[in-house]
Amino acid sequence: MRGLRVVLDTNVLVSGITYPRSIPGQIVGAWRYGAIETVLSHYIIEEIVRVLPRLSQNRLSPSAIRDLADSLLFLADIVEPEGGQEAVLRDPADQPILGTFLAGRAQYLITGDKDLLALAGNYPILTPAAFWAKHSG
């Protein structure tokens, strides 16, 4: 797995932070221990800041969430999403995530978002489970 460059979608990061023993949690752990290189954008980080407080499982204070977001800026390769609009993207709100993947020249986009997964025929987009099955051994 070492040397893989991936984009972790917001849903993967939030799940991984909230449930560290889950597959997304194992992927986030692999990143923390240097097994993968992660590419993020300010858009993804700000989305985490918006989503985490709304989760009932969230045990982080607002200041802890902000500290987490700030630490992600140092742990990840931060890119600005490429502009443009993917013609076959079902949900235009997902464009910044796809744009992060393209700008970051990542090998995989890891997501649980069905609209992004629908593009798996055009881009290397995997669910967390598929990525983990393919690269954890």
Side-chain angles (χ1 to χ4, degrees), residues 3-131:
L4 285 178
R5 187 170 166 85
V6 302
V7 170
L8 302 179
D9 193 359
T10 307
N11 57 64
V12 175
L13 284 166
V14 168
S15 293
I17 292 164
T18 307
Y19 303 104
R21 291 192 173 144
S22 66
I23 290 176
Q26 292 177 51
I27 294 170
V28 169
W31 169 32
R32 285 183 41 221
Y33 292 108
I36 58 175
E37 181 182 354
T38 299
V39 179
L40 300 175
S41 61
H42 289 282
Y43 176 86
I44 292 172
I45 293 171
E46 289 306 316
E47 201 169 44
I48 291 167
V49 170
R50 285 192 311 273
V51 171
L52 269 176
R54 298 193 309 239
L55 297 178
S56 61
Q57 305 89 339
N58 174 42
R59 294 174 187 87
L60 298 174
S61 68
S63 64
I65 292 171
R66 191 74 251 166
D67 288 345
L68 171 67
D70 290 344
S71 69
L72 294 176
L73 292 170
F74 293 102
L75 297 172
D77 183 8
I78 305 298
V79 299
E80 198 58 40
E82 282 191 6
Q85 184 68 31
E86 172 64 48
V88 295
L89 192 59
R90 298 188 312 201
D91 182 358
D94 289 328
Q95 185 60 50
I97 305 296
L98 184 61
T100 300
F101 168 75
L102 295 171
R105 292 178 171 75
Q107 291 161 289
Y108 295 103
L109 169 56
I110 305 170
T111 185
D113 185 303
K114 289 179 175 44
D115 293 323
L116 286 167
L117 288 166
L119 298 177
N122 301 357
Y123 301 99
I125 301 174
L126 297 174
T127 65
F131 175 80

